Amino acid sequence: DFADKIIHARLVLPDGGLLYGGDCPPDMPHEGFKGFTLTLNYDSIEEAEKIFQRLAEGGHVIMPMGATFWAESFGMVADKFGCSWNINGKLLPM
């Protein structure tokens, strides 16, 4: 029954970074995402906001995009699968 399912995935990010994901076999049910947030940094506010909006589709905004002391734009969103994301646009020097 599990032979036609995707068990591992790899997403190649524009800067060459990699994001890996894996699934659980049927005898190990998924109990939701707990205790972590994924963070993505973008060089432009526009790119950060575009990705933020895509992740928000079918999910929900935790904190809208806005300026912070570490980035010109920052927001928090949970995607349609319940995974939490922090999105930074144009990090500021610290």
Side-chain angles (χ1 to χ4, degrees):
D1 291 334
F2 209 63
D4 64 341
K5 306 293 186 228
I6 296 172
I7 192 163
H8 297 288
R10 182 181 77 165
L11 175 64
V12 180
L13 302 173
D15 67 354
L18 300 171
L19 180 63
Y20 290 89
D23 209 347
C24 295
D27 60 330
M28 297 174 65
H30 176 65
E31 297 178 6
F33 300 107
K34 299 174 188 163
F36 74 95
T37 299
L38 298 171
T39 299
L40 297 172
N41 297 324
Y42 292 95
D43 292 332
S44 75
I45 294 169
E46 296 78 20
E47 183 70 10
E49 290 179 353
K50 179 175 76 172
I51 299 301
F52 183 88
Q53 291 304 322
R54 287 184 180 170
L55 289 168
E57 291 173 10
H60 70 277
V61 173
I62 298 167
M63 178 184 288
M65 297 292 285
T68 67
F69 67 89
W70 68 85
E72 288 189 19
S73 188
F74 167 79
M76 298 169 66
V77 62
D79 66 24
K80 64 184 176 182
F81 303 106
C83 185
S84 296
W85 297 85
N86 291 338
I87 309 297
N88 289 302
K90 204 164 184 183
L91 292 171
L92 298 172
M94 296 189 71

